[in-house]
Amino acid sequence: LKEDIESAVLVDGVASICDRAFSECWRLRFVQIPKSVASFGESPFTLCTNLEVIDVSENQNFVFDNGVLMDREMTQIIYCDLYKSGDYSIPSTVTTICEGAFYGCDKLTSIVIPDSVTSIGDGAFCGCDHLLSITIPNSVAFIGSRVFLYCEQLSSIEVPNSVKEIGGEAYASCCEMESIAIAGSVETLGANPFSACCNLSEITVTGEGGNIRMVDGVLFNGDMTRLIWCSKEKSGSYVIPSTVKTIDNDAFHSCKDLTSITLPDSITKIDFWTFHDCTGLTSVVIPDSVTSIGFYAFYNCTSLKSVTIPDVVTSIDNYAFERCKKIAEFFIPSSVSSIGDNPFVECEQLRRIEV
């Protein structure tokens, strides 16, 4: 089993090391790369928690310097060992930070990216949970998916105007992040970029460009067909614009001062975690267009007294109404063909469910 491998000496003749070739080889301490290897796939050593040495002394294509594996010209960072700690300044020759390059480097506290870098690959800094600051220069055009996932100590970040694409869940689970500045000129913003950012209170849209916009504390894409995030300062009743077709996961996370939400009939599903921890929410108007309600969609909406499920809904997922403590009765229409696990757990006042 690969998790039992402690050292790997590759034979000469191997030309390429494929994606995740040694991923999760927990005991691996030493790898020797022969002169024949000309390329590495993505995330070749992800979560090799004991890897200390990558010997490339016989190879003319790569260097392993101070715990960082790069191509010979030092234009790509392929892997950083998990022992690296404190502050790290990426060399000024680097143009690409590869997928998963710093994955799980939980001892790093600060990273400076030079203005030579144009691309940051998927999951590049995922799990750097002691990272306090990172500088993204105005040369970066691409930020991949889950790049800062679980960077739990990162409190703020500024996305420069040069960035044109940001992947899905790029900043998800950055629990201490309070503010982020993002350019309005971003052309592609992946799904659920701020999911589980439980302390995020401020998003500033900077520069020119109308690809994303903030309207009364709510972040939308340019044509307002997608609702991405709502400020925790939002209060009272809120009517979601009729242009909106999709709502990102976690979009209304902990909007505790909202009391009422009306969804337009352009919405077809309420995704998971959408309204969780909206503890002041007393009523929700769900239109006849909605066919599914995702897991934990209304989790811990402790003031919610009633919900009318339209007779086109076909599925109610796991824990959808968990801890909705004031709901007394619930009507499930005949259109529902699938109900997940424990949708009403800890609904303390629920006395009647009619099917």
Side-chain angles (χ1 to χ4, degrees), residues 147-164:
V147 165
F148 299 103
L149 179 68
Y150 298 124
C151 290
E152 296 176 350
Q153 300 298 315
L154 197 60
S155 61
S156 66
I157 194 165
E158 182 170 348
V159 181
N161 294 337
S162 59
V163 174
K164 301 304 179 187

Side-chain angles (χ1 to χ4, degrees), residues 278-297:
C278 291
T279 54
L281 194 63
T282 59
S283 67
V284 177
V285 177
I286 300 177
D288 288 342
S289 55
V290 170
T291 59
S292 66
I293 298 173
F295 65 85
Y296 293 106

Side-chain angles (χ1 to χ4, degrees), residues 6 31 36 72 76 95 138 147 156 159 161 167:
E6 295 186 7
V31 177
S36 55
R72 178 63 60 176
Q76 296 183 345
T95 60
N138 201 34
V147 165
S156 66
V159 181
N161 294 337

Side-chain angles (χ1 to χ4, degrees), residues 18-37:
C18 67
D19 294 354
R20 299 167 184 81
F22 295 94
S23 177
E24 299 183 17
C25 289
W26 314 110
R27 298 185 181 182
L28 187 65
R29 295 182 178 277
F30 173 85
V31 177
Q32 187 176 72
I33 307 297
K35 62 183 179 182
S36 55
V37 171

